[in-house]
Amino acid sequence: VSGVFVPSVMGIALVTFVVWLLLGRTVGYALARGISVLVISCPCALGLATPVAIMVGSGMGAKNGILFKTAVSLEETGKTEIVALDKTGTITEGKPSVQTIKLLDKNIGENKMLAYAAAAEETSTHPLAVAILNEVKERGLEIPNHTENKVIVARGIETEVGDSIIRVGSKKFMEENGISTDNSHDEVKVILGRGEILIYVAKDDKLIGLIGVTDPPRENIKRTINRLRGQGIDEIVLLTGDLEQQAQTIASRMSIDSYESELLPEDKARNILALQSRGSNVIMIGDGINDAPALSYANIGVALGSTRTDVAMEAADITITKDDPLLVPEVIGLSKKTVKTIKENFAMAIGINSFALVLGATGILPAIYSSVIHNMSTILVVGNSLKLLKYKLKN
């Protein structure tokens, strides 16, 4: 706007000066009219229309635990049409606990199998790893000595205990390492039937046990999804690395429009690009390392909750520091309110200045009063932006 407005006003001031000279007025009078035009239209109000509103909006966000990385992220969030959600730590609490343990090798006891699993998960901060480590701690078990843990992203973890290789992770992880899961079908059905997250444990090339973990949905996640709909979100999608049955269960329970399961980090990113290819603005909400590519590719990435990783925060445009999903729809509401305020500021600045410009150019308004109106429009824009301080985020 300034790029067009400023040269136009300079031209109008020059034309005003020339016209009054042609009408036979003195150079001083004509110059006063031209100066009056410049004083009125000096774009202070235009220059403040956006940054003051952004500053106040960002400040209100920070006060409520919402950190915007850039001004663009605050402006663009309100244009969201599709919300993509991770499951573990985003829809769920991210504080899972072990519920079921199934032994598949009679020569290895339950505690020993858990100790092997804990050895592989010892250095991991993933919520499922924490669940296993907490169970071992509660039982007072000792984690055996092991080599450095090797993480296979979105698959599992492996380590060496003595002469044996211990692998803990998904069914795909087992199959990719030539470990048969045929002897576990009945137990798998039982665990998945309860809606638990399934973890496979293998020693060398043999499956030795299954661990079922529960991770309950966040207390306010259903209300969050309802409020997102109220903000005009057309579609809500679940993107998870969990098995299809687990994804289907949570999607049905939360009334989510669609889901994609058993996704690798790059698969989540591809799903985001596919949604964007439809011409939609997409928000991705996640907390883990697996979510980082998707957070980066989305129009707006949001790192949510206490389980968020540094990688997720770095990839995201917005970080919500509080463990409250209800702040997600409030981010969209705050963005819309801020952009509305910016548009109001532009309308007031251009409207008042344009009206006063005509009065100044025609000689009705002296230069001194032009300066008064100019400053009044600037104060009005700042005051309108400060109204955002009264914006209340719902809790």
Side-chain angles (χ1 to χ4, degrees):
V1 171
S2 296
V4 175
F5 184 78
V6 174
S8 299
V9 167
M10 297 291 286
I12 293 170
L14 182 61
V15 169
T16 300
F17 173 73
V18 172
V19 167
W20 281 112
L21 283 179
L22 293 175
L23 291 174
R25 296 291 182 141
T26 64
V27 173
Y29 185 88
L31 187 61
R33 300 284 69 75
I35 290 173
S36 182
V37 169
L38 291 177
V39 169
I40 292 169
S41 56
C42 184
C44 293
L46 285 177
L48 292 171
T50 299
V52 175
I54 292 291
M55 269 173 54
V56 179
S58 298
M60 286 302 294
K63 185 179 177 181
N64 290 276
I66 302 167
L67 306 179
F68 296 93
K69 187 177 288 186
T70 65
V72 174
S73 60
L74 174 55
E75 291 185 72
E76 292 296 312
T77 303
K79 301 177 183 178
T80 302
E81 297 163 302
I82 298 176
V83 171
L85 295 159
D86 172 49
K87 176 178 169 285
T88 303
T90 303
I91 291 180
T92 61
E93 291 180 354
K95 299 174 182 177
S97 59
V98 173
Q99 293 296 313
T100 305
I101 298 172
K102 293 290 184 180
L103 288 172
L104 301 174
D105 187 338
K106 297 179 181 178
N107 298 320
I108 298 177
E110 187 175 286
N111 287 345
K112 192 169 185 179
M113 187 270 283
L114 274 173
Y116 280 145
E121 302 280 17
E122 187 172 19
T123 58
S124 175
T125 58
H126 191 282
L128 299 183
V130 173
I132 294 173
L133 293 171
N134 286 341
E135 182 69 18
V136 167
K137 185 177 180 180
E138 287 178 10
R139 295 187 179 209
L141 304 179
E142 185 177 343
I143 298 175
N145 294 327
H146 57 89
T147 60
E148 184 177 352
N149 295 351
K150 181 181 178 183
V151 178
I152 294 82
V153 177
R155 288 291 193 265
I157 301 179
E158 68 177 48
T159 189
E160 292 184 24
V161 177
D163 296 328
S164 301
I165 299 176
I166 304 299
R167 295 183 177 91
V168 180
S170 66
K171 182 178 181 180
K172 283 187 178 180
F173 185 43
M174 299 297 134
E175 292 173 345
E176 288 170 356
N177 286 279
I179 300 169
S180 174
T181 60
D182 293 340
N183 63 331
S184 64
H185 290 321
D186 293 338
E187 289 82 359
V188 167
K189 285 182 180 179
V190 172
I191 294 174
L192 293 180
R194 295 172 181 161
E196 297 174 10
I197 301 169
L198 181 60
I199 301 172
Y200 292 80
V201 182
K203 180 181 179 184
D204 294 323
D205 58 354
K206 185 178 181 181
L207 190 65
I208 61 172
L210 303 171
I211 300 175
V213 176
T214 58
D215 188 9
R218 289 178 181 271
E219 181 181 353
N220 291 320
I221 192 65
K222 189 64 181 290
R223 292 172 64 196
T224 297
I225 291 172
N226 290 338
R227 288 187 184 180
L228 284 171
R229 307 255 187 220
Q231 290 286 7
I233 301 303
D234 295 330
E235 186 176 352
I236 298 176
V237 181
L238 172 64
L239 303 178
T240 179
D242 289 352
L243 297 175
E244 181 176 1
Q245 185 171 344
Q246 296 160 354
Q248 184 180 29
T249 299
I250 200 74
S252 176
R253 190 183 303 175
M254 296 296 115
S255 301
I256 293 174
D257 297 309
S258 61
Y259 66 88
E260 295 291 339
S261 58
E262 301 183 55
L263 300 179
L264 294 171
E266 56 267 32
D267 296 328
K268 290 186 179 182
R270 276 195 289 269
N271 273 273
I272 294 295
L273 291 174
L275 293 171
Q276 290 172 327
S277 68
R278 290 152 45 181
S280 301
N281 287 318
V282 182
I283 278 185
M284 173 66 193
I285 304 168
D287 70 321
I289 294 173
N290 295 348
D291 304 318
L295 290 170
S296 181
Y297 275 103
N299 296 86
I300 298 293
V302 179
L304 171 68
S306 60
T307 59
R308 66 190 184 279
T309 61
D310 291 341
V311 175
M313 290 172 63
E314 182 65 28
D317 302 287
I318 301 170
T319 297
I320 297 177
T321 60
K322 294 182 179 179
D323 226 356
D324 185 1
L326 285 173
L327 287 174
V328 174
E330 295 310 309
V331 170
I332 297 174
L334 179 59
S335 171
K336 289 180 177 180
K337 182 65 176 177
T338 302
V339 171
K340 181 183 178 183
T341 301
I342 292 171
K343 290 178 179 178
E344 290 172 351
N345 289 346
F346 272 102
M348 285 189 292
I350 294 174
I352 294 172
N353 285 0
S354 298
F355 177 70
L357 186 149
V358 173
L359 298 180
T362 55
I364 298 173
L365 195 67
I368 185 64
Y369 294 112
S370 299
S371 66
V372 171
I373 290 178
H374 160 72
N375 283 288
M376 284 178 61
S377 67
T378 302
I379 293 169
L380 191 61
V381 163
V382 173
N384 189 56
S385 297
L386 292 176
K387 287 196 307 181
L388 284 168
L389 291 172
K390 295 184 177 180
Y391 182 78
K392 301 295 183 182
L393 274 72
K394 297 177 183 177
N395 54 35

